[in-house]
């Protein structure tokens, strides 16, 4: 898990989405703050995370807390999108191979959820084209 977390931090810092292939398990489940159903599979998880790196991964993005226990990690982040403060957490579960098998994102406040939802919708349409 520690190697995976270090690689995740490198991916976020460099916005190198090619690193997602080494991070995400093929059966990964992605739980979005705005989509009510789990998104199942490595491909869709990588798509959502690539979009999030574009939308949230600006120069203001920073992790402010990290808690790990067993095969789980919770990383709290802060950033700004369209001059709106976004506060959230990435909750990760790792499989026996050390890859991310579940990735849950939670955001606050509501104004931030709304702006991220709109930006992610546009970004996912672009990435899927």
């Amino acid at each position: 898990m520690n190697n995976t977390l270090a690689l995740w931090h490198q991916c976020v810092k460099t916005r190198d989405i090619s690193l997602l292939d080494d991070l995400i398990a093929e059966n990964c489940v992605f739980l979005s703050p705005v989509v009510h159903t789990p998104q199942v599979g490595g491909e869709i998880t990588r798509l959502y995370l690539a979009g999030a790196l574009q939308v949230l991964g600006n120069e203001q993005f920073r992790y402010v807390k990290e808690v790990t226990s067993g095969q789980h990690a919770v990383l709290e982040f802060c950033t700004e999108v369209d001059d709106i403060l976004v506060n959230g957490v990435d909750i990760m579960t790792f499989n026996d191979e050390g890859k991310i098998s579940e990735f849950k994102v939670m955001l606050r406040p509501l104004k931030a959820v709304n702006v991220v939802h709109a930006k992610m919708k546009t970004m996912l349409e672009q990435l899927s084209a």
Side-chain angles (χ1 to χ4, degrees), residues 68-99:
T68 59
S69 178
Q71 291 183 279
H72 306 280
V74 178
L75 288 71
E76 181 182 356
F77 63 85
C78 292
T79 191
E80 282 186 31
V81 176
D82 290 349
D83 296 322
I84 296 171
L85 180 64
V86 179
N87 178 230
V89 291
D90 293 331
I91 305 170
M92 301 175 204
T93 300
F94 304 89
N95 64 17
D96 291 337
E97 290 80 42
K99 291 195 171 193

Side-chain angles (χ1 to χ4, degrees), residues 2 5 11 17 19 25 31-32 40 42 46 65 69 71 76 81 86 96 104 107 113 115 120 126 128-129:
N2 289 336
L5 270 180
C11 180
I17 62 171
L19 296 174
L31 300 154
S32 165
V40 179
R46 287 187 290 276
K65 293 179 188 169
S69 178
Q71 291 183 279
E76 181 182 356
V81 176
V86 179
D96 291 337
K104 182 186 297 185
L107 296 175
V113 174
V115 73
M120 281 294 295
Q126 291 173 3
S128 298

